[in-house]
Protein backbone atom coordinates (compact mmCIF):
# COMPACT_ATOMS: atom_id res chain seq x y z
CA UNK A 1 0.00 0.00 0.00
CA UNK A 2 1.21 3.52 -0.80
CA UNK A 3 1.74 6.59 1.41
CA UNK A 4 -1.46 8.05 -0.02
CA UNK A 5 -3.61 5.03 0.81
CA UNK A 6 -2.26 4.82 4.37
CA UNK A 7 -2.94 8.52 4.81
CA UNK A 8 -6.50 8.09 3.57
CA UNK A 9 -7.05 5.37 6.18
CA UNK A 10 -5.20 7.29 8.92
CA UNK A 11 -7.32 10.43 8.76
CA UNK A 12 -10.43 8.32 9.33
CA UNK A 13 -9.23 6.75 12.56
CA UNK A 14 -6.62 9.10 14.04
CA UNK A 15 -7.35 12.78 14.77
CA UNK A 16 -5.65 14.72 11.99
CA UNK A 17 -4.24 11.39 10.82
CA UNK A 18 -1.47 11.49 13.45
CA UNK A 19 -0.55 10.77 17.05
CA UNK A 20 1.46 13.98 17.47
CA UNK A 21 0.46 17.17 15.67
CA UNK A 22 3.67 18.39 13.99
CA UNK A 23 3.82 15.17 11.97
CA UNK A 24 0.71 16.18 10.05
CA UNK A 25 2.45 18.42 7.44
CA UNK A 26 -0.07 21.19 8.21
CA UNK A 27 2.58 23.88 7.75
CA UNK A 28 4.39 22.39 4.76
CA UNK A 29 2.95 21.38 1.37
CA UNK A 30 1.78 17.83 0.68
CA UNK A 31 0.74 14.93 2.88
CA UNK A 32 2.90 13.08 5.41
CA UNK A 33 5.15 10.26 4.31
CA UNK A 34 4.56 6.90 5.96
CA UNK A 35 7.80 5.46 7.27
CA UNK A 36 8.10 1.76 6.51
CA UNK A 37 11.59 1.08 7.85
CA UNK A 38 14.79 2.91 8.64
CA UNK A 39 18.50 2.18 9.02
CA UNK A 40 21.38 4.56 9.76
CA UNK A 41 20.74 7.97 8.21
CA UNK A 42 17.96 6.79 5.89
CA UNK A 43 14.39 5.61 5.89
CA UNK A 44 12.16 4.04 3.28
CA UNK A 45 8.56 5.17 2.93
CA UNK A 46 5.50 3.14 1.95
CA UNK A 47 6.01 4.17 -1.70
CA UNK A 48 9.38 2.40 -1.51
CA UNK A 49 11.41 5.64 -1.82
CA UNK A 50 14.52 6.20 0.27
CA UNK A 51 15.32 9.49 2.03
CA UNK A 52 18.17 10.95 4.06
CA UNK A 53 16.51 11.74 7.38
CA UNK A 54 17.42 14.95 9.24
CA UNK A 55 14.47 14.74 11.62
CA UNK A 56 15.50 11.40 13.15
CA UNK A 57 12.47 10.86 15.35
CA UNK A 58 12.93 14.43 16.64
CA UNK A 59 16.20 13.80 18.44
CA UNK A 60 16.56 10.48 20.24
CA UNK A 61 18.51 8.76 17.48
CA UNK A 62 21.96 10.31 17.90
CA UNK A 63 23.41 7.04 16.57
CA UNK A 64 21.01 6.96 13.63
CA UNK A 65 18.12 4.59 12.96
CA UNK A 66 18.27 0.98 14.12
CA UNK A 67 21.76 1.08 15.59
CA UNK A 68 22.82 -2.58 15.88
CA UNK A 69 24.21 -2.25 19.43
CA UNK A 70 21.14 -0.44 20.72
CA UNK A 71 18.87 -2.99 19.12
CA UNK A 72 20.89 -5.92 20.44
CA UNK A 73 20.79 -4.49 23.97
CA UNK A 74 17.05 -3.87 23.74
CA UNK A 75 16.42 -7.37 22.37
CA UNK A 76 18.47 -8.92 25.16
CA UNK A 77 16.48 -7.01 27.77
CA UNK A 78 13.22 -7.84 26.01
CA UNK A 79 14.03 -11.55 26.16
CA UNK A 80 14.27 -11.23 29.95
CA UNK A 81 10.89 -9.52 30.27
CA UNK A 82 9.32 -6.39 28.79
CA UNK A 83 8.23 -4.76 32.04
CA UNK A 84 8.60 -5.61 35.71
CA UNK A 85 7.03 -2.80 37.72
CA UNK A 86 9.76 -3.56 40.24
CA UNK A 87 13.42 -2.62 40.66
CA UNK A 88 15.76 -4.12 38.08
CA UNK A 89 19.48 -3.78 37.44
CA UNK A 90 19.41 -1.73 34.24
CA UNK A 91 17.78 1.22 36.06
CA UNK A 92 20.78 1.36 38.40
CA UNK A 93 23.26 1.00 35.54
CA UNK A 94 21.66 3.77 33.50
CA UNK A 95 21.42 6.03 36.56
CA UNK A 96 25.14 5.47 37.23
CA UNK A 97 26.10 6.17 33.61
CA UNK A 98 23.88 9.25 33.57
CA UNK A 99 25.29 10.71 36.80
CA UNK A 100 28.84 9.99 35.75
CA UNK A 101 28.36 12.36 32.79
CA UNK A 102 26.45 14.94 34.85
CA UNK A 103 28.34 15.02 38.16
CA UNK A 104 26.54 18.18 39.31
CA UNK A 105 23.51 15.96 39.98
CA UNK A 106 23.41 13.27 42.64
CA UNK A 107 20.22 11.39 41.86
CA UNK A 108 17.95 10.79 38.90
CA UNK A 109 14.38 9.51 38.55
CA UNK A 110 13.37 7.83 35.28
CA UNK A 111 9.90 8.37 33.83
CA UNK A 112 8.40 7.63 30.42
CA UNK A 113 8.53 10.90 28.46
CA UNK A 114 10.04 14.37 28.43
CA UNK A 115 6.66 15.89 29.27
CA UNK A 116 6.43 13.69 32.36
CA UNK A 117 9.98 14.60 33.35
CA UNK A 118 9.25 18.33 33.22
CA UNK A 119 5.87 18.04 34.89
CA UNK A 120 7.45 16.11 37.77
CA UNK A 121 10.48 18.41 38.04
CA UNK A 122 8.25 21.46 38.32
CA UNK A 123 6.15 19.78 41.01
CA UNK A 124 9.33 18.88 42.87
CA UNK A 125 10.69 22.43 42.56
CA UNK A 126 7.45 23.74 44.04
CA UNK A 127 7.45 21.13 46.79
CA UNK A 128 11.09 21.80 47.64
CA UNK A 129 10.85 25.59 47.76
CA UNK A 130 7.30 25.84 49.10
CA UNK A 131 6.62 28.43 46.39
CA UNK A 132 4.25 28.41 43.42
CA UNK A 133 5.50 30.64 40.60
CA UNK A 134 7.35 29.13 37.65
CA UNK A 135 9.11 31.40 35.16
CA UNK A 136 9.29 30.23 31.56
CA UNK A 137 10.25 32.00 28.35
CA UNK A 138 8.26 32.72 25.21
CA UNK A 139 8.94 30.13 22.51
CA UNK A 140 10.41 27.57 24.90
CA UNK A 141 8.50 24.31 24.88
CA UNK A 142 8.51 22.06 27.91
CA UNK A 143 6.12 19.33 26.84
CA UNK A 144 2.37 19.43 27.08
CA UNK A 145 1.69 19.64 30.82
CA UNK A 146 -1.18 22.13 31.39
CA UNK A 147 0.74 24.74 33.36
CA UNK A 148 3.51 25.05 30.75
CA UNK A 149 1.37 25.37 27.63
CA UNK A 150 1.69 29.13 27.62
CA UNK A 151 3.44 31.01 24.81
CA UNK A 152 5.14 27.74 23.93
CA UNK A 153 7.09 26.60 20.89
CA UNK A 154 7.06 23.36 18.87
CA UNK A 155 3.60 22.43 17.54
CA UNK A 156 2.05 25.42 19.28
CA UNK A 157 4.30 27.77 17.32
CA UNK A 158 3.76 25.74 14.14
CA UNK A 159 0.00 26.07 14.37
CA UNK A 160 0.00 29.64 15.67
CA UNK A 161 -1.79 28.67 18.89
CA UNK A 162 0.89 29.44 21.47
CA UNK A 163 -1.42 28.67 24.39
CA UNK A 164 -3.51 25.51 24.27
CA UNK A 165 -7.28 25.18 24.51
CA UNK A 166 -8.57 23.03 27.36
CA UNK A 167 -6.28 24.57 29.96
CA UNK A 168 -8.21 26.39 32.73
CA UNK A 169 -6.87 29.90 33.40
CA UNK A 170 -6.21 28.92 37.01
CA UNK A 171 -3.76 26.25 35.90
CA UNK A 172 -1.44 28.81 34.34
CA UNK A 173 -2.00 31.59 36.87
CA UNK A 174 1.30 30.78 38.54
CA UNK A 175 3.26 30.51 35.29
CA UNK A 176 5.06 33.76 34.44
CA UNK A 177 6.15 34.09 30.83
CA UNK A 178 9.05 36.39 30.00
CA UNK A 179 10.89 37.06 26.72
CA UNK A 180 14.17 35.30 26.03
CA UNK A 181 17.30 37.45 25.78
CA UNK A 182 15.86 40.20 27.99
CA UNK A 183 17.88 40.58 31.20
CA UNK A 184 16.14 43.81 32.32
CA UNK A 185 12.71 42.10 32.13
CA UNK A 186 14.04 39.18 34.16
CA UNK A 187 15.58 41.48 36.77
CA UNK A 188 12.41 43.54 37.03
CA UNK A 189 10.30 40.41 37.51
CA UNK A 190 12.56 39.04 40.22
CA UNK A 191 12.76 42.48 41.85
CA UNK A 192 9.01 42.42 42.30
CA UNK A 193 8.13 38.71 42.70
CA UNK A 194 11.44 36.97 43.46
CA UNK A 195 10.28 35.62 46.83
CA UNK A 196 7.39 33.76 45.16
CA UNK A 197 9.40 32.08 42.41
CA UNK A 198 9.94 28.34 42.79
CA UNK A 199 11.99 27.99 39.61
CA UNK A 200 13.04 29.30 36.25
CA UNK A 201 12.69 26.61 33.61
CA UNK A 202 14.60 27.23 30.41
CA UNK A 203 15.87 25.28 27.44
CA UNK A 204 19.55 26.34 27.63
CA UNK A 205 19.67 26.11 23.81
CA UNK A 206 16.01 26.81 23.01
CA UNK A 207 15.25 24.36 20.18
CA UNK A 208 11.49 24.35 19.84
CA UNK A 209 11.02 27.66 18.06
CA UNK A 210 13.89 27.21 15.72
CA UNK A 211 17.23 27.34 17.48
CA UNK A 212 17.50 30.49 19.58
CA UNK A 213 21.09 30.52 20.82
CA UNK A 214 21.24 32.71 23.92
CA UNK A 215 23.94 35.09 24.98
CA UNK A 216 25.77 33.40 27.90
CA UNK A 217 25.03 36.53 29.98
CA UNK A 218 21.31 35.82 29.77
CA UNK A 219 21.63 32.29 31.13
CA UNK A 220 24.09 33.57 33.72
CA UNK A 221 21.47 36.10 34.82
CA UNK A 222 18.96 33.22 35.21
CA UNK A 223 21.53 31.45 37.39
CA UNK A 224 22.36 34.46 39.54
CA UNK A 225 18.80 35.68 40.06
CA UNK A 226 17.48 32.26 41.06
CA UNK A 227 20.35 31.83 43.50
CA UNK A 228 19.87 35.30 44.98
CA UNK A 229 16.13 34.83 45.46
CA UNK A 230 16.14 31.24 46.75
CA UNK A 231 14.60 29.80 43.60
CA UNK A 232 15.81 26.84 41.52
CA UNK A 233 17.16 26.86 37.98
CA UNK A 234 15.89 24.01 35.81
CA UNK A 235 17.59 23.31 32.50
CA UNK A 236 15.18 21.50 30.21
CA UNK A 237 17.59 19.31 28.27
CA UNK A 238 15.09 16.92 26.74
CA UNK A 239 16.53 17.87 23.34
CA UNK A 240 20.05 18.99 24.24
CA UNK A 241 20.96 16.44 26.91
CA UNK A 242 23.77 14.15 25.69
CA UNK A 243 23.54 15.92 22.32
CA UNK A 244 25.38 19.24 22.59
CA UNK A 245 28.10 17.51 24.66
CA UNK A 246 28.47 14.49 26.91
CA UNK A 247 27.85 16.78 29.88
CA UNK A 248 25.05 18.70 28.16
CA UNK A 249 24.56 22.45 28.42
CA UNK A 250 26.35 22.68 31.77
CA UNK A 251 29.55 21.49 30.07
CA UNK A 252 29.20 23.81 27.09
CA UNK A 253 28.13 26.90 29.03
CA UNK A 254 29.88 26.39 32.34
CA UNK A 255 26.59 27.12 34.11
CA UNK A 256 25.27 24.55 36.54
CA UNK A 257 21.52 24.24 37.03
CA UNK A 258 19.85 22.91 40.20
CA UNK A 259 17.72 20.47 38.26
CA UNK A 260 17.69 19.02 34.77
CA UNK A 261 15.05 17.31 32.66
CA UNK A 262 15.90 14.72 30.02
CA UNK A 263 14.35 12.37 27.48
CA UNK A 264 15.01 11.39 23.87
CA UNK A 265 18.68 10.25 23.72
CA UNK A 266 18.66 8.54 27.13
CA UNK A 267 16.03 6.13 25.79
CA UNK A 268 17.83 5.38 22.52
CA UNK A 269 14.51 5.53 20.64
CA UNK A 270 12.35 4.04 23.37
CA UNK A 271 10.00 6.10 25.57
CA UNK A 272 12.03 7.55 28.46
CA UNK A 273 12.25 10.77 30.43
CA UNK A 274 14.26 11.66 33.51
CA UNK A 275 14.75 14.42 36.01
CA UNK A 276 17.80 14.90 38.17
CA UNK A 277 19.05 17.10 41.00
CA UNK A 278 21.02 17.02 44.24
CA UNK A 279 20.16 14.41 46.86
CA UNK A 280 18.78 17.21 49.06
CA UNK A 281 16.22 18.15 46.41
CA UNK A 282 15.47 14.59 45.28
CA UNK A 283 14.82 13.60 48.90
CA UNK A 284 11.55 15.52 48.61
CA UNK A 285 10.19 13.05 46.06
CA UNK A 286 8.11 10.08 47.16
CA UNK A 287 8.85 7.60 48.79
CA UNK A 288 11.41 9.68 50.74
CA UNK A 289 9.44 12.90 50.71
CA UNK A 290 5.97 14.36 50.29
CA UNK A 291 6.03 15.20 46.53
CA UNK A 292 4.28 12.42 44.64
CA UNK A 293 5.22 11.00 41.26
CA UNK A 294 4.93 7.43 39.97
CA UNK A 295 4.70 5.38 36.76
CA UNK A 296 3.92 1.80 35.78
CA UNK A 297 6.50 1.80 33.00
CA UNK A 298 9.07 4.04 34.73
CA UNK A 299 12.54 2.54 34.42
CA UNK A 300 11.30 0.10 31.80
CA UNK A 301 14.09 -2.47 31.27
CA UNK A 302 14.00 -2.38 27.46
CA UNK A 303 14.21 1.41 27.38
CA UNK A 304 16.96 1.39 30.03
CA UNK A 305 18.96 -1.09 27.94
CA UNK A 306 18.61 1.03 24.79
CA UNK A 307 19.61 4.13 26.76
CA UNK A 308 22.63 2.40 28.24
CA UNK A 309 23.86 1.20 24.86
CA UNK A 310 23.38 4.71 23.45
CA UNK A 311 25.28 6.40 26.28
CA UNK A 312 28.06 3.84 26.00
CA UNK A 313 28.58 4.65 22.32
CA UNK A 314 28.32 8.41 22.77
CA UNK A 315 30.99 8.08 25.46
CA UNK A 316 33.60 6.72 23.05
CA UNK A 317 36.58 9.00 22.33
CA UNK A 318 35.98 11.52 19.57
CA UNK A 319 32.21 10.96 19.37
CA UNK A 320 31.18 14.59 19.86
CA UNK A 321 34.18 15.91 17.95
CA UNK A 322 33.07 13.93 14.91
CA UNK A 323 29.52 15.28 15.19
CA UNK A 324 30.93 18.79 15.43
CA UNK A 325 33.05 18.27 12.31
CA UNK A 326 30.06 17.01 10.35
CA UNK A 327 27.88 19.80 11.71
CA UNK A 328 30.38 22.38 10.50
CA UNK A 329 30.47 20.72 7.08
CA UNK A 330 26.69 20.80 6.79
CA UNK A 331 26.45 24.36 8.06
CA UNK A 332 29.09 25.60 5.61
CA UNK A 333 27.42 23.78 2.70
CA UNK A 334 23.97 25.15 3.47
CA UNK A 335 25.33 28.69 3.83
CA UNK A 336 27.12 28.42 0.50
CA UNK A 337 24.02 27.00 -1.22
CA UNK A 338 21.93 29.97 -0.03
CA UNK A 339 24.62 32.51 -0.97
CA UNK A 340 25.10 31.00 -4.46
CA UNK A 341 21.37 31.12 -5.15
CA UNK A 342 20.90 34.60 -3.65
CA UNK A 343 18.47 33.27 -1.02
CA UNK A 344 18.42 35.22 2.24
CA UNK A 345 18.95 32.60 4.91
CA UNK A 346 20.83 32.11 8.17
CA UNK A 347 22.05 28.72 9.33
CA UNK A 348 22.09 28.43 13.11
CA UNK A 349 23.90 25.50 14.69
CA UNK A 350 24.92 24.12 18.04
CA UNK A 351 26.90 20.92 17.55
CA UNK A 352 24.56 18.42 15.91
CA UNK A 353 21.47 20.64 16.14
CA UNK A 354 20.81 22.93 13.19
CA UNK A 355 18.16 25.27 11.87
CA UNK A 356 17.77 27.26 8.67
CA UNK A 357 15.81 30.48 9.05
CA UNK A 358 14.91 32.72 6.12
CA UNK A 359 16.12 36.08 7.40
CA UNK A 360 19.47 37.80 7.46
CA UNK A 361 20.33 37.26 11.12
CA UNK A 362 20.08 34.61 13.81
CA UNK A 363 17.22 35.45 16.17
CA UNK A 364 17.74 35.17 19.91
CA UNK A 365 14.07 35.41 20.87
CA UNK A 366 10.75 34.15 19.57
CA UNK A 367 9.73 37.73 18.71
CA UNK A 368 12.80 38.12 16.48
CA UNK A 369 11.76 35.28 14.14
CA UNK A 370 10.15 36.48 10.91
CA UNK A 371 7.12 34.17 10.47
CA UNK A 372 7.08 34.97 6.72
CA UNK A 373 10.08 32.70 6.39
CA UNK A 374 7.96 29.66 7.25
CA UNK A 375 6.40 29.61 3.78
CA UNK A 376 9.87 29.60 2.27
CA UNK A 377 10.75 26.71 4.55
CA UNK A 378 7.66 24.88 3.26
CA UNK A 379 8.90 25.27 -0.31
CA UNK A 380 12.33 24.01 0.68
CA UNK A 381 10.77 21.05 2.47
CA UNK A 382 8.80 20.05 -0.62
CA UNK A 383 11.79 20.54 -2.92
CA UNK A 384 13.90 18.29 -0.72
CA UNK A 385 11.28 15.56 -0.48
CA UNK A 386 11.28 15.45 -4.27
CA UNK A 387 15.07 15.03 -4.10
CA UNK A 388 15.13 12.31 -1.42
CA UNK A 389 15.93 14.43 1.63
CA UNK A 390 13.63 14.71 4.66
CA UNK A 391 13.59 17.66 7.07
CA UNK A 392 11.23 18.19 10.02
CA UNK A 393 7.81 19.09 8.59
CA UNK A 394 7.77 22.56 10.19
CA UNK A 395 10.05 25.57 9.85
CA UNK A 396 9.81 26.07 13.62
CA UNK A 397 11.57 22.76 14.27
CA UNK A 398 15.29 22.02 14.23
CA UNK A 399 17.33 19.42 12.35
CA UNK A 400 19.28 16.58 13.97
CA UNK A 401 22.57 15.19 12.81
CA UNK A 402 23.61 11.69 13.91
CA UNK A 403 26.75 9.61 13.99
CA UNK A 404 25.22 7.61 11.12
CA UNK A 405 25.18 10.58 8.72
CA UNK A 406 28.14 10.32 6.39
CA UNK A 407 30.04 13.08 4.61
CA UNK A 408 28.36 11.80 1.47
CA UNK A 409 24.90 12.27 3.06
CA UNK A 410 25.91 15.84 3.81
CA UNK A 411 27.15 16.44 0.25
CA UNK A 412 23.98 14.93 -1.23
CA UNK A 413 21.82 17.06 1.05
CA UNK A 414 23.70 20.26 0.29
CA UNK A 415 23.44 19.53 -3.44
CA UNK A 416 19.68 18.96 -3.10
CA UNK A 417 19.28 22.23 -1.17
CA UNK A 418 21.35 24.10 -3.78
CA UNK A 419 19.26 22.63 -6.60
CA UNK A 420 16.01 23.51 -4.82
CA UNK A 421 17.12 27.09 -4.16
CA UNK A 422 18.23 27.49 -7.78
CA UNK A 423 14.88 26.19 -9.04
CA UNK A 424 13.22 29.22 -7.43
CA UNK A 425 15.02 31.82 -9.53
N1 LIG B 1 7.62 17.71 20.20
C1 LIG B 1 8.29 17.26 19.02
C2 LIG B 1 8.89 18.40 18.28
N2 LIG B 1 9.68 19.29 19.02
C3 LIG B 1 7.36 16.50 18.11
C4 LIG B 1 7.29 15.08 18.43
C5 LIG B 1 6.59 14.25 17.36
O1 LIG B 1 5.67 14.71 16.73
O2 LIG B 1 6.97 13.10 17.20
Amino acid sequence: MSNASWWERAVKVLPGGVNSPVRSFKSVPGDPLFFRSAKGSRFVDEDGRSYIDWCLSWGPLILGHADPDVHAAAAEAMAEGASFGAPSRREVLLAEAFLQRLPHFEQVRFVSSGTEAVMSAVRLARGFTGRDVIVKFTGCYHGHADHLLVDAGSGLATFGTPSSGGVPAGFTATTAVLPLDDIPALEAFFGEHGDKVAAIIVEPFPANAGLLIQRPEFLQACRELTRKHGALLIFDEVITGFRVAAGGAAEVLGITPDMGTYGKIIGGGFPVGAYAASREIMDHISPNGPVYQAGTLSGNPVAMAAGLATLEKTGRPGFYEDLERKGALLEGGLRQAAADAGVTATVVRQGSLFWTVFQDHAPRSFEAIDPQGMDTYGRLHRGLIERGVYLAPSGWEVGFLSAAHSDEDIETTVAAVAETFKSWS
Side-chain angles (χ1 to χ4, degrees), residues 90-110:
R90 291 185 179 88
E91 299 166 82
V92 182
L93 294 172
L94 185 57
E96 287 170 354
F98 177 102
L99 294 168
Q100 195 192 8
R101 312 280 167 87
L102 304 168
H104 47 286
F105 297 135
E106 291 173 315
Q107 290 197 326
V108 56
R109 165 73 57 93
F110 293 114

Side-chain angles (χ1 to χ4, degrees), residues 20-23 57-58 141 154 207-208 239 264 397:
S20 190
V22 197
R23 303 175 190 180
S57 190
W58 307 91
Y141 177 72
S154 191
N208 277 289
I239 288 181
K264 300 198 192 270
E397 302 283 354

Side-chain angles (χ1 to χ4, degrees), residues 181-400:
D181 190 42
D182 190 342
I183 297 175
L186 196 58
E187 285 173 343
F189 185 85
F190 269 83
E192 206 172 327
H193 308 286
D195 60 339
K196 298 183 195 65
V197 177
I200 289 181
I201 183 161
V202 62
E203 298 178 71
F205 297 101
N208 277 289
L211 186 55
L212 305 172
I213 308 280
Q214 297 302 294
R215 290 175 297 137
E217 303 89 285
F218 177 73
L219 293 162
Q220 197 57 52
C222 291
R223 177 63 286 179
E224 280 160 20
L225 285 166
T226 43
R227 210 165 256 155
K228 180 168 161 205
H229 291 268
L232 301 180
L233 176 63
I234 308 174
F235 274 0
D236 181 347
E237 293 225 64
V238 169
I239 288 181
T240 53
F242 302 94
R243 178 166 286 281
V244 294
E251 181 184 322
V252 179
L253 300 165
I255 299 173
T256 307
D258 301 297
M259 300 178 78
T261 56
Y262 297 83
K264 300 198 192 270
I265 287 176
I266 57 161
F270 288 80
V272 176
Y275 58 102
S278 64
R279 188 180 307 273
E280 187 195 1
I281 295 174
M282 294 304 269
D283 259 346
H284 284 67
I285 211 75
S286 187
N288 290 355
V291 179
Y292 198 71
Q293 178 271 310
T296 300
L297 296 176
S298 292
N300 174 268
V302 182
M304 298 291 105
L308 260 172
T310 304
L311 289 205
E312 192 280 311
K313 287 185 93 163
T314 61
R316 292 182 186 173
F319 182 86
Y320 289 97
E321 288 77 1
D322 190 47
L323 280 184
E324 173 60 32
R325 184 191 64 77
K326 289 187 210 167
L329 197 63
L330 180 65
E331 178 186 345
L334 295 176
R335 284 220 169 110
Q336 195 60 50
D340 290 350
V343 170
T344 303
T346 303
V347 183
V348 187
R349 184 177 69 84
Q350 181 68 42
S352 57
L353 282 174
F354 65 95
W355 181 50
T356 305
V357 60
F358 293 94
Q359 59 190 53
D360 62 9
H361 63 282
R364 284 200 297 258
S365 68
F366 186 76
E367 295 76 8
I369 302 172
D370 179 1
Q372 305 272 342
M374 297 303 154
D375 289 342
T376 314
Y377 181 89
R379 291 170 69 205
L380 173 64
H381 190 264
R382 179 56 20 202
L384 291 184
I385 283 198
E386 284 159 12
R387 292 168 175 85
V389 175
Y390 185 78
L391 292 181
S394 163
W396 297 94
E397 302 283 354
V398 295
F400 296 93

Side-chain angles (χ1 to χ4, degrees), residues 138-151:
T138 308
C140 282
Y141 177 72
H142 304 289
H144 61 89
D146 283 340
H147 52 279
L148 293 168
L149 283 181
V150 199
D151 289 340

